[in-house]
């Protein structure tokens, strides 16, 4: 099965806002999720896609080349 068939819209929303703000807390506020929820959604995508999507530096995150 193609991994993209398993993409969850909530996970994509969490990823989008985390990438936009480079901050999981701000992403959570904007997406109406908890910070833990954003982390879980991003971890789900990273596991599904088998890549690291962010480099975590303290409270900031930066997109990887993936």
């Amino acid at each position: 099965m193609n991994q993209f068939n398993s993409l969850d819209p909530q996970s994509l929303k969490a990823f989008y806002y985390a990438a936009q703000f480079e901050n999981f807390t701000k992403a959570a506020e904007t997406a109406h999720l908890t910070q833990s929820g954003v982390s879980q959604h991003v971890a789900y995508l990273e596991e599904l896609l088998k890549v690291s999507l962010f480099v975590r530096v303290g409270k900031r995150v930066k997109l990887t080349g993936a």
Side-chain angles (χ1 to χ4, degrees):
M1 177 164 91
N2 185 326
Q3 67 211 35
F4 294 107
N5 292 333
S6 301
L7 290 176
D8 170 32
Q10 280 290 90
S11 295
L12 293 175
K13 182 167 79 169
F15 169 76
Y16 172 80
Y17 286 122
Q20 181 178 12
F21 296 115
E22 297 183 335
N23 182 292
F24 282 10
T25 302
K26 181 68 175 164
E29 292 168 3
T30 305
H32 305 288
L33 298 167
T34 63
Q35 183 275 328
S36 174
V38 170
S39 292
Q40 290 172 10
H41 283 296
V42 169
Y44 165 78
L45 289 174
E46 290 177 329
E47 177 65 26
L48 182 69
L49 301 173
K50 306 291 190 232
V51 296
S52 294
L53 297 172
F54 293 98
V55 175
R56 289 141 178 96
V57 182
K59 293 187 182 224
R60 308 271 316 175
V61 293
K62 297 283 186 186
L63 283 171
T64 65

